[in-house]
Amino acid sequence: MKPQNTLLANTGTTIFTVMSALATEHGAINLGQGFPDTDGPEDVLQAAADALMDGRNQYPPMTGVPELRHAVAAANKRFYGLEYDPNGEIVVTSGATEAVTACLMSLLNPGDEVVLIEPLYDTYLPVVKLLGATPKLVRLSPPHWELPREELAAAFGPNTKALLINSPMNPTGKVFTREELQFVADLLIQHDAYAVCDEVYEHLVLDGWQHIPLATLPGMRERCLRVGSAGKTFSLTGWKVGYISAARQLATVATKAHQNLTFTTAPNLQRAVAVGLAKDDSYFEGLSRSLQDKRDRLGDGLRRLGFGVLDTHGSYFITADFAPLFPRGFNGTDADFCRMLTIEAKVTAVPVSAFYDSDPPRTYARFAFCKREALLDAALERLAGWIAGRTV
Ligand code: PMP
Ligand code: GLN
């Protein structure tokens, strides 16, 4: 038989699925895949339940139900002063995963170059390659994840069509500063390139850091496709409702991608997300405050156990260096460590190497802290027991 698509046939199962399956198999506390262990706000859930029963269960409009398109536009204005027309500049998608893919599809022709920043979310690279575009990787390195400006500038060239930027960033918890974003904006203008802005963690920002959409910088609105996710903003990751905000011309072509990917997204969930986006500021502040407490609890605990815990200013994730636990060196990779931790300590983390294309750092594990405090405590207790009991 003829071979199937080479790239997909050679792509492994995503690390999030692999580690969650391993956690289940070994009865481990799953701090790997990033999902909260409590449901989102009651009023949003109730709105979804009501919307299921009120008879609007057929195909919604392709770009999203009007309630949600208006709510996304209003949120853009309320949080960032960004103006988008709900009729033509907002596209609702089935999760940010679809949104990012649709944005890339809408921009790239075979042969175009795309600047990507490692560590990167695991759908970016396969999609860029499937589209026949050429990835240009720029690498951030632990422990500080600084933007290597010279290398970033060198990655741009005459064939650069777009940059994909994720802020707040998974897995690093880095929140790009205005200065960094200005540097990026200057490059985009200089090279006449677009940006796909994966901002799914826009409301999960800690320590008083401020999320700045690249689209708010001068000259950027017409170059940026900004992606959000209700799954993250409302702790409902299974819902898979995402949204693209972009200038009309960009949104029009992104809609064509959406038309060919999923066409529409569950109307009842969309209507509930509209209710969520209209919640008052205290909800959004409460979300980040509660995550900050969880980050502190897990981060302090891991530090006490001897991990080298890196700073995280946003997202669901802490990155921790496990090398200090092994004074004589760890004989294996970060994937081996995470596997061992799952099987022996019964706590699951994700190896950070999964976010690099090649030659990754090897001693970092990503822990999700978006869990109830009792679960974080139980995980720390298991880790303490494992550390005490092992022979290094
Ligand atoms: N981008 C990043 C950086 C993510 O961490 C996630 C979370 N899975 C997504 C996109 C996808 O979001 P969604 O679940 O809305 O598809
Ligand atoms: N974004 C989540 C993470 O990074 C998981 C999403 C997924 O499982 N595809 O853990």
Side-chain angles (χ1 to χ4, degrees):
M1 300 237 282
K2 288 179 181 159
Q4 295 167 265
N5 177 272
T6 313
L7 192 130
L8 293 178
N10 292 328
T11 298
T13 301
T14 167
I15 190 69
F16 309 116
T17 296
V18 169
M19 294 314 294
S20 283
L22 199 69
T24 304
E25 184 187 337
H26 293 279
I29 294 177
N30 189 357
L31 305 185
Q33 193 177 24
F35 60 89
D37 61 346
T38 46
D39 261 348
E42 188 81 31
D43 52 351
V44 176
L45 295 172
Q46 190 60 53
D50 293 346
L52 259 182
M53 300 308 291
D54 77 357
R56 279 170 61 189
N57 289 296
Q58 308 309 328
Y59 294 127
M62 180 161 65
T63 55
V65 301
E67 296 95 316
L68 181 52
R69 280 185 280 116
H70 280 86
V72 172
N76 272 310
K77 175 94 177 109
R78 164 159 64 135
F79 293 110
Y80 313 113
L82 280 167
E83 304 263 5
Y84 290 103
D85 184 347
N87 299 311
E89 298 193 318
I90 305 291
V91 188
V92 176
T93 59
S94 297
T97 307
E98 189 208 332
V100 170
T101 297
C103 291
L104 292 169
M105 285 174 73
S106 75
L107 293 173
L108 301 177
N109 287 315
D112 286 343
E113 291 178 1
V114 188
V115 179
L116 299 170
I117 302 175
E118 288 182 307
L120 38 66
Y121 189 58
D122 72 345
T123 64
Y124 300 169
L125 209 44
V127 171
V128 166
K129 289 182 182 167
L130 277 172
L131 291 168
T134 305
K136 292 282 175 185
L137 294 167
V138 177
R139 157 178 304 236
L140 307 188
S141 297
H144 300 303
W145 311 112
E146 284 139 353
L147 188 67
R149 296 187 184 207
E150 265 176 45
E151 283 146 48
L152 185 66
F156 279 75
N159 297 325
T160 306
K161 178 65 75 67
L163 161 90
L164 204 173
I165 184 166
N166 172 216
S167 181
M169 191 179 186
N170 179 6
T172 65
K174 177 183 174 74
V175 179
F176 282 71
T177 64
R178 185 174 297 282
E179 292 67 35
E180 288 171 326
L181 294 171
Q182 187 60 58
F183 186 79
V184 167
D186 291 343
L187 287 171
L188 294 175
I189 290 172
Q190 188 185 336
H191 294 278
D192 185 19
Y194 299 99
V196 177
C197 306
D198 181 343
E199 300 179 11
V200 298
Y201 299 106
E202 61 185 318
H203 292 294
L204 313 187
V205 179
L206 318 174
D207 305 321
W209 277 65
Q210 209 201 336
H211 168 61
I212 304 172
L214 182 61
T216 59
L217 272 67
M220 286 298 102
R221 188 185 181 281
E222 59 268 34
R223 293 187 180 274
C224 289
L225 295 119
R226 190 177 105 71
V227 171
S229 167
K232 316 290 179 197
T233 299
F234 301 107
S235 307
L236 294 162
T237 59
W239 278 22
K240 303 296 285 187
V241 177
Y243 17 87
I244 302 166
S245 306
R248 189 169 306 271
Q249 181 56 35
L250 294 175
T252 301
V253 185
T255 301
K256 301 293 167 51
H258 171 62
Q259 166 178 306
N260 287 295
L261 281 167
T262 58
F263 175 48
T264 57
T265 296
N268 6 68
L269 298 182
Q270 289 193 49
R271 290 166 64 196
V273 171
V275 169
L277 284 174
K279 286 172 82 68
D280 60 29
D281 290 353
S282 63
Y283 167 74
F284 297 90
E285 286 155 15
L287 179 65
S288 64
R289 204 168 332 106
S290 117
L291 277 170
Q292 189 168 318
D293 290 345
K294 293 169 192 291
R295 187 275 319 263
D296 289 344
R297 199 171 192 102
L298 183 63
D300 292 349
L302 291 173
R303 207 171 282 116
R304 273 197 303 276
L305 292 173
F307 284 88
V309 175
L310 307 192
D311 285 347
T312 195
H313 302 301
S315 82
Y316 283 149
F317 309 113
I318 285 178
T319 298
D321 185 2
F322 57 82
L325 300 179
F326 301 92
R328 277 177 273 132
F330 177 68
N331 187 17
T333 64
D334 56 348
D336 296 332
F337 173 79
C338 290
R339 213 183 151 73
M340 178 177 77
L341 208 66
T342 301
I343 296 169
E344 295 183 5
K346 308 233 175 285
V347 175
T348 297
V350 164
V352 167
S353 61
F355 298 80
Y356 287 83
D357 186 38
S358 61
D359 194 22
R362 281 293 182 203
T363 64
Y364 293 88
R366 190 197 77 173
F367 293 86
F369 56 79
C370 48
K371 307 290 181 182
R372 277 168 298 186
E373 296 187 345
L375 195 78
L376 297 176
D377 290 346
L380 288 167
E381 209 169 299
R382 288 185 183 189
L383 290 172
W386 174 72
I387 288 171
R390 99 212 135 103
T391 45
V392 187

